[in-house]
Amino acid sequence: MDNLHNASAHLQELDARHHLHPFTDSPALSRRGARVITKADGVYLWDAEGNQFLDGMAGLWCVNVGYGRREILDAVAAQMQQLPYYNTFFQTTHPPVVELSAKIAELTPEGLNRVFFCSSGSEANDTVLRMVRHYWASVGEPSKTVVISRENAYHGSTMAGASLGGMKPMHKQGGLPIEGIEHIMQPHWFLHGDDLSEADVGVKAAQALEDKILAIGADKVAAFIAEPVQGAGGVIVPPSNYWPLIQEICSKYNVLLVADEVICGFGRTGNWFGCNTFDIKPDLMAIAKGLSSGYLPIGGVVVSDRVADGLDAGGDFNHGYTYSGHPACAAAALANIEILQSEKIVEKVAKTTAPYLQKKLSEFASHPNVGQVRGVGMLGALQLVPGSEGKKSFYKPDETGVSCREHCLANGLVMRAVDDAMILSPPLVISETQIDELCEKALKSIEQTFA
Ligand code: PXG
């Protein structure tokens, strides 16, 4: 144990000296030392000191098939030997990227048949921004350039991604958002519902889109972008009337609808895509994360035939990445999808494990410190509140979520805190027994937080 502890301390010291972490207060992290994760298997992680954790977040919402899947390793190794790299510029292609494009076209909703590849969700959304503007220019409406998004949305960390996103702390740094992006209210009943019903919040949040389109002028609005369920914002499942209204407004004003499926895609909501779960008919879809279960970095933008035809009319689309359709990443994605399909993982989630998880989570609703339980498929949020009389109207975010997260870790569970909401997005292969373990640990941690 001492040796393990010393090895871990050494890595922490080097990490503090040389590694800049994402979304991190570096001096604070240096003082406590980063958690050193050294291995993983199934739904479990281990740190350098030998502690085991149930990964309630599937890494960062991405390890859908769980850790340690030999099939993905073998597929990547074989591809690395055959052709470790080649590009898809200058009229070339290669077998894994062709196969993956066809597979994605087969899985995505009807009418979405062509894919532009990149390496992350942020790059996918940068591509979305350039693509929708180029589309409208190509079909003779170059004034349609503005993209409408939502407050508290997360669409990535690049300049376009963070601008499309609606995270205020991100906008405060680096002169964001960039021009031509507007934000409207999110359909978050718990935070913004006041005395309204969920359905009323659905109408109000959708009406905000129509109002914004009218204020800007429909002839200037290129697209509306949204996550089917907001993930990083706090697992915000919209009221059931929200998406049908949004769909109607987008078609009424000829505004492209972009579904950011980076978290919701590849089984997370109990269907292949969030668009299936909420019956959304998008013009473009951003994908990443679950596409390869995070084994290698790959993302993409899937476009409808209408958008593809429009882009075709515009000649060269002057956009692309060295690693667009990287062969080893495409091989990882293909092997990952093969596992999802052959083991019927999405079907199992829909029929068995997601209903079980949601039932277990709903039991938290009677807890005096849980103000709201949100969830769909393998996504969940337990909104912590100070006490029974503070259930909704007295809610003010504080450090409770961070404290609960620390208790979770001490109890061997990784949960993410978004303000005071405790978030779950476990690997899709989690079993019912492991869901029991997860919920027991979460309950114990919540009890300790408020003790
Ligand atoms: N869109 C959505 C909906 C996302 O959730 C991105 C785009 C950007 O993807 P990349 O691959 O560029 O990170 C994301 C990413 C968190 C957290 O703490 C969430 C994400 C990334 C990192 C942290 O919840 N989502």
Side-chain angles (χ1 to χ4, degrees), residues 370-386:
V370 177
Q372 190 195 21
V373 178
R374 302 187 285 270
V376 60
M378 281 292 179
L379 286 170
L382 302 172
Q383 183 78 47
L384 302 183
V385 291

Side-chain angles (χ1 to χ4, degrees), residues 60-61 120-122 125 154-156 227 232 260 262-263 288-289 416:
L60 268 181
W61 324 76
S120 69
S122 299
N125 287 323
Y154 191 78
H155 297 299
E227 304 148 80
D260 183 340
V262 168
I263 283 179
K289 294 194 190 271
R416 161 137 163 54

Side-chain angles (χ1 to χ4, degrees), residues 183-394:
H183 297 85
I184 57 170
M185 76 173 278
Q186 56 178 335
H188 194 342
W189 174 80
F190 186 83
L191 274 196
H192 308 307
D194 302 320
D195 293 329
L196 298 177
S197 67
E198 291 216 37
D200 287 345
V201 170
V203 172
K204 186 176 166 188
Q207 188 57 46
L209 176 61
E210 181 161 36
D211 294 347
K212 184 61 92 175
I213 293 170
L214 292 172
I216 300 165
D219 60 324
K220 296 193 178 61
V221 181
F224 172 65
I225 183 169
E227 304 148 80
V229 176
Q230 284 157 268
V235 179
I236 300 148
V237 184
S240 59
N241 57 351
Y242 179 74
W243 273 113
L245 290 169
I246 291 288
Q247 184 88 52
E248 214 177 285
I249 293 164
C250 286
S251 36
K252 180 171 171 191
Y253 295 102
N254 202 13
V255 166
L256 296 174
L257 178 52
V258 186
D260 183 340
E261 292 267 8
V262 168
I263 283 179
C264 293
F266 300 94
R268 181 58 54 197
T269 65
N271 285 292
W272 277 93
F273 296 95
C275 286
N276 305 124
T277 300
F278 295 94
D279 197 22
I280 305 165
K281 293 178 181 56
D283 298 292
L284 300 94
M285 254 172 55
I287 55 174
K289 294 194 190 271
L291 168 58
S292 65
S293 282
Y295 278 60
L296 283 177
I298 183 164
V301 180
V302 196
V303 303
S304 64
D305 298 336
R306 168 195 177 185
V307 172
D309 291 346
L311 293 170
D312 285 349
D316 278 10
F317 177 37
N318 296 317
H319 178 77
Y321 307 102
T322 303
Y323 300 130
S324 284
H326 189 288
C329 303
L334 277 166
N336 170 61
I337 292 170
E338 170 61 26
I339 292 172
L340 287 169
Q341 286 192 306
S342 64
E343 296 181 10
K344 300 199 181 335
I345 290 173
V346 183
E347 291 84 341
K348 264 187 215 157
V349 164
K351 272 210 202 97
T352 315
T353 43
Y356 189 71
L357 174 71
Q358 297 304 330
K359 179 177 138 287
K360 296 282 293 188
L361 291 180
S362 70
E363 291 167 10
F364 281 79
S366 57
H367 193 285
N369 298 114
V370 177
Q372 190 195 21
V373 178
R374 302 187 285 270
V376 60
M378 281 292 179
L379 286 170
L382 302 172
Q383 183 78 47
L384 302 183
V385 291
S388 49
E389 86 277 33
K391 274 228 152 169
K392 180 165 182 318
S393 39
F394 303 109

Side-chain angles (χ1 to χ4, degrees), residues 91-154:
Q91 297 156 27
T92 58
T93 194
H94 51 69
V97 79
V98 177
E99 249 189 88
L100 181 60
S101 307
K103 179 56 81 178
I104 291 170
E106 173 197 317
L107 294 173
T108 48
E110 207 189 315
L112 279 84
N113 289 309
R114 284 159 81 185
V115 196
F116 190 102
F117 286 103
C118 55
S119 304
S120 69
S122 299
E123 285 182 1
N125 287 323
D126 273 51
T127 301
V128 160
L129 182 61
R130 298 203 61 206
M131 201 179 249
V132 296
R133 288 176 175 169
H134 183 56
Y135 165 81
W136 285 115
S138 302
V139 298
E141 296 202 54
S143 70
K144 278 173 92 72
T145 57
V146 178
V147 176
I148 301 173
S149 178
R150 305 182 295 185
E151 288 152 10
N152 197 36
Y154 191 78

